[in-house]
Structure formats: structure tokens, C-alpha cells
Amino acid sequence: MNVTQTRCPVHSIDHHSAEFAERRHDIFAELRRDAPIAMSDCYGGFYIAASYKLGRHILRDDEHFSVSRFEDGTGGLLIPAVMKSPKLRPGELDGAEHLAYRKALHDRFKPTTVKMLQPFVQRIVDETLDAVISKRQFDAMHDLAAVIPARVVLEYLGVPRDSQVSVLEGLALGFRAAPDTAEATDDTDQFRAVWRDLLEVIAEKRRSPGDDVMSTLVRSDLNLTDEQLLSVVMNVALGGTVTTTSWMSYAMMFLEQHRDLRARLIENPDDVAPFGEELLRWFSPASSLARNVIQDTEVGDVPLKQGDRVYVAITSLNRDDDVFEDAGTFDIDRERKQHMAFGVGAHFCLGVHLARLEFRIFIQSLLSRLPDYSIDVVRSEHNQSAGVTPRWLKLPASTNLGESP
Ligand code: HEM
């Protein structure tokens, strides 16, 4: 990438570093003030869009920006590109091809369909809470936040119970490692092993389709190859687990540290929805989205050349004072404006309605059944790389409401 011709300031911002995780809100506040389009010289050089206005513009401008992964493995949703992992569909497709996949999936994720999933989601939430209550000591991340979205999405997709654990391990590996490390390389190989396991599941769906998303795809007139179908499964499974798990774990920690808000939500369960939306704005589980410049253009007076990479900093867009009054303050009663946590434009989150349903049912059920839960904040652990998905790794927790051990 040509970093010399630019009119914007160059910084060494490494969004995978611990320092960035620590200081990201300050870094972005400076960028929004001084350079809404800046440049980082890390990972071969990339532009950073920090303001709501410019970030939103880029995500909606399909003529100049693409999310595609190229044949050589570059491009795609992440910086640096995950060269070896398979291309995600629909997430890393553009144009008409992207639209065809969205149409094939639409009926399974539209609001009226998702509304009917309420009993299914409630059952999974109840079973998961049952297991925790009987233990009294538990890990709110591993035993709750990581379990519910995974079971919901994998069962909805049609992944059999005995394959779910290996699929989840594969997904977790894909997101665990820092880029450019030996660990990341090994992980990608393991990711491919999961891919192979899933091919067997697909073969079974082709033999006897059922009432699940994979079977819908098998029947669709897209005539997908196994490889294409699996890349959809991985995209939906990835999109549906990491972010939703992160959202739920942040909610539990937030309600640990803000007991007055917890009391309010227990008293008024309808306030769980605005709480969830404000939390999304506040911490942005999908904290960045990368794009490739496919045609020369100019954004915020900065010329961008074909082949350049852009990091749209969702975290920063969601804290932009030009859009959200007093954006640094957490306020569930604030005037509702479209936050960018689910993206915008053609790639707007496919699973938005399902994510909201899961979150609402989970938090309402948690506060109804375990209103006293407490988290050991000191022993809790957070991931180091907040540039893609900030998330809690460990949340040691307890309740006094279960049966005596
Ligand atoms: C808190 C929860 C979630 C957040 C914050 C989130 C965030 C996002 C964002 C920001 C995008 C846009 C990506 C882009 O523009 O490149 C996206 C796309 C997507 N999400 Fe979600 N998501 C969540 C939950 C889910 C769930 C529950 C599912 C599925 C069950 C899902 C499936 C997808 C898929 C398949 C895409 C790709 C859509 C496309 O490219 O057309 N997401 N998500």
C-alpha cells in the first residue's frame, strides 16, 4: 500500500495490542477530533475511519469499497487478513452474489420468523440456567454467555448435538490467536479440521433434509456446492456466537458493577431491551469492520487508492459526540439513534433479530431466577485484543439461590 501520498497523519496504531485495548477510547477521541481519516503503518499500512459520518459512508458505499477476500487470500473482514481460513459467505461477498445468499437466508432470519423462535430460545436459556443454579459456583462466561448463543445458533443451523463441541472449539480457535503467530497458523489448520467434520453433516442433510437452516440452504435454488454451503454455516455460526456471547458477558459484568441498574431491570424487565442497545453502543462487540478500496475515491478530503485497506472503527463511530450526545456517558434513557454495532448497508447483521431475542430472554431470565448473582471482578479475565472483538474470558460467579451442595 502506498503510504507516502496521503494527506492524513500516520500513526502506529496496532488494534491487536494490549496498549490499544487499554487506551482505545482516548485514541479514537483524538482521531475524531484531529483526523477522522488517519493512517496506521502497522500490518502493511491501513486507513482508519474514526467518525460516525465517514465510517457510515464507507460501509454504505459499495461502489468504491468491498469486503471481498481476493484469490490470494488478502482483503476480507479482518486486518491483517486471515490468509488461510475459508472465505465467509455472505460476509465476504459483494454485489449480486452477496444479494443472492442474503435472499436465500432471509426467511429464516426475518422478524416474524425469529419471533416464533421465542419458545426454542427460552428452552435453551432455561436448561442452561438450571445447570448453573444447581452448582451455585460457576463461570458466567463459560457456563452461560458462551453456551446459550452457541446452542441456539448451532441447533437452528441443524448441527447435531454430538458435533457441536468440535464446531465450537474450531470457532473459538479461529478467534483466539494474535495474527502472524505460530499459534494462529496452527489454529487455522484446526479450523480446517472442523470444516471437514461439517462436510459430513452436510452430506447427511443432502440425504435427508430437515427443518433447519442448513436444510433450507440444501433445498435453495442457489445449488450450493458443499464448500459454499459450509462457508455459510461457518459465517452464521461465527457471527452468531462470538459477538452475542460477548454482549451477554458484558451485560453480566455491567450489572455486577451497577447494582442500581440491576435493581431497575429486575423491577422493569421491559428496560432490558434499551439497556442492551446502550450496551452495544457503549462497547461495540464487533469493534471494527475492514474494507478494500476497489476504485479510487476521496473520503474526508483524503484520497484513497484502489488496493488500500480501511479499518472502520465501529467502537469510535458509536462514541461520536456529533451523533450521540455526551457519548462517553452510559445512559439507557438516551434518545434512540442508530448505533453501528450491527453495521449498516448491504452487510447489516443478518442475525440482528435473533441476537436481540436471545439477549432479552437471557437477561430477563437471569434476573428473575438468579437476581443475587455476583461476579468476582478481581479474578475475572478479559481478552487483550480489543480491536476486533472485546470479550471477557473468565467471569467467576456465584449465587446463594441454588440447592445446598
Ligand atoms: C450482539 C450480536 C451481534 C453483533 C454485534 C453483530 C454484528 C455484526 C456486524 C457489525 C455485521 C456487519 C459486517 C460487515 O458489515 O462487514 C454483521 C454481519 C453478520 N452477522 Fe452479525 N452480529 C451479531 C449477532 C449475529 C447473530 C446472532 C447472527 C446469526 C445467527 C449473525 C450473523 C451475521 C452474518 C451471517 C453476517 C454477514 C451478513 C452479510 O455480510 O450480509 N450475527 N454482524
Side-chain angles (χ1 to χ4, degrees), residues 17 40 144 173 177 188 206 219 228 237 263 268 300 319:
S17 69
S40 169
L144 294 174
L173 288 169
T188 313
R206 291 204 194 274
R219 287 195 201 95
Q228 289 167 330
N268 304 290
R319 295 275 186 122

Side-chain angles (χ1 to χ4, degrees), residues 281-294:
R281 183 193 72 79
W282 177 255
F283 91 103
S284 304
S287 60
S288 65
L289 300 171
R291 293 292 188 262
N292 320 309
V293 179
I294 47 172

Side-chain angles (χ1 to χ4, degrees), residues 173-377:
L173 288 169
F175 267 77
R176 191 188 63 190
D180 291 342
T181 59
E183 186 191 29
T185 311
D186 292 348
D187 284 354
T188 313
D189 290 343
Q190 275 176 275
F191 202 71
R192 283 190 177 274
V194 174
W195 194 257
R196 282 195 298 274
D197 288 350
L198 274 170
L199 280 172
E200 285 172 26
V201 176
I202 289 288
E204 182 54 29
K205 299 288 169 195
R206 291 204 194 274
R207 277 193 294 274
S208 68
D211 179 29
D212 47 53
V213 176
M214 264 197 264
S215 300
T216 303
L217 292 167
V218 162
R219 287 195 201 95
S220 101
D221 53 14
L222 283 177
N223 295 321
L224 301 177
T225 63
D226 286 355
E227 181 87 0
Q228 289 167 330
L229 213 149
L230 274 170
S231 71
V232 180
V233 171
M234 290 308 253
N235 196 169
V236 173
L238 263 177
T241 49
V242 183
T243 46
T244 317
T245 291
S246 176
W247 191 16
M248 289 175 177
S249 59
Y250 261 77
M252 287 188 283
M253 179 57 102
F254 202 89
L255 296 176
E256 169 64 32
Q257 293 174 318
H258 299 85
R259 294 294 181 126
D260 49 338
L261 181 57
R262 188 193 299 199
R264 172 175 163 179
L265 298 187
I266 291 170
E267 190 73 16
N268 304 290
D270 286 350
D271 288 347
V272 166
F275 161 63
E277 294 306 309
E278 177 65 350
L279 192 63
L280 285 174
R281 183 193 72 79
W282 177 255
F283 91 103
S284 304
S287 60
S288 65
L289 300 171
R291 293 292 188 262
N292 320 309
V293 179
I294 47 172
Q295 239 188 81
D296 293 2
T297 184
E298 202 171 282
V299 177
D301 290 339
V302 173
L304 302 180
K305 291 251 169 281
Q306 187 182 352
D308 285 345
R309 298 279 281 149
V310 184
Y311 174 102
V312 179
I314 300 293
T315 305
S316 181
L317 273 51
N318 279 339
R319 295 275 186 122
D320 190 333
D321 284 309
D322 286 349
V323 178
F324 305 101
E325 198 181 332
D326 200 4
T329 301
F330 189 95
D331 176 8
I332 78 167
D333 299 313
R334 69 168 55 248
E335 185 192 343
R336 284 291 136 225
K337 295 200 174 144
Q338 189 189 9
H339 62 65
M340 289 288 134
F342 290 113
V344 68
H347 290 275
F348 181 71
C349 179
L350 173 77
V352 56
H353 307 296
L354 184 56
R356 284 179 171 146
L357 180 74
E358 288 178 53
F359 182 86
R360 182 179 57 72
I361 292 179
F362 170 59
I363 297 296
Q364 287 176 346
S365 303
L366 174 78
L367 295 181
S368 148
R369 296 187 62 192
L370 296 183
D372 76 322
Y373 84 85
S374 69
I375 291 177
D376 185 335
V377 178

